[in-house]
Amino acid sequence: MANLYIRYYKRMGRDEQGEMVPVGEEPAEGGQKVTYSSANSSGVFPNYVRFIRMVADADAYIAFGASPIATANESLKLEADVAEYFALNPVSIRAGTLKLSVYDGSS
C-alpha cells in the first residue's frame, strides 16, 4: 500500500518584501495521511484550510469533491515523491463537504 501525506495551511508564505511565495506558511495547521491502493478518500478538510501540500510515496491519481472517486482515466496524476500545492475552494470548505480521493491506478 502507498501513502499520501497532506499538510494543511491557512496562508501561503511571504518573503522579506511581503510578496507571496508558493510555499505553505509553517508551522502547518495540521494534516493527515491517506493510505491507498484502490480508491480511498480523505477525511473532510477542516474549515480553516485554504491551501494543502501533498506528497505521495507512489504514483497516484487524485480527485476533489463532496464524494470524489479518483480514476486512472479522469483524475489528476501525482508523481511519486513530488510535492504539489493546491488552493481549496472556500465555499466547499465552509460547507464542510470537501474531500480528496486517491487511487494508485492498478485496478
Side-chain angles (χ1 to χ4, degrees):
M1 293 217 171
N3 295 298
L4 177 69
Y5 300 91
I6 305 169
R7 300 273 291 183
Y8 301 154
Y9 297 100
K10 285 183 182 178
R11 291 178 285 281
M12 296 301 278
R14 295 196 176 268
D15 66 14
E16 290 178 358
Q17 287 77 40
E19 299 295 322
M20 194 177 321
V21 293
V23 297
E25 184 177 273
E26 291 287 349
E29 301 294 327
Q32 64 179 297
K33 177 175 86 170
V34 181
T35 301
Y36 63 96
S37 57
S38 59
N40 196 9
S41 290
S42 70
V44 173
F45 290 106
N47 65 0
Y48 58 81
V49 176
R50 295 298 175 261
F51 306 95
I52 59 172
R53 176 185 185 265
M54 295 189 295
V55 176
D57 59 14
D59 288 352
Y61 296 89
I62 62 167
F64 291 92
S67 299
I69 299 175
T71 67
N73 295 328
E74 298 177 12
S75 300
L76 177 64
K77 185 175 182 184
L78 291 181
E79 299 292 327
D81 302 319
V82 176
E84 295 281 355
Y85 281 89
F86 294 90
L88 302 181
N89 181 306
V91 173
S92 297
I93 289 293
R94 281 192 295 275
T97 61
L98 189 63
K99 295 181 192 175
L100 171 85
S101 174
V102 60
Y103 169 58
D104 72 358
S106 65
S107 58

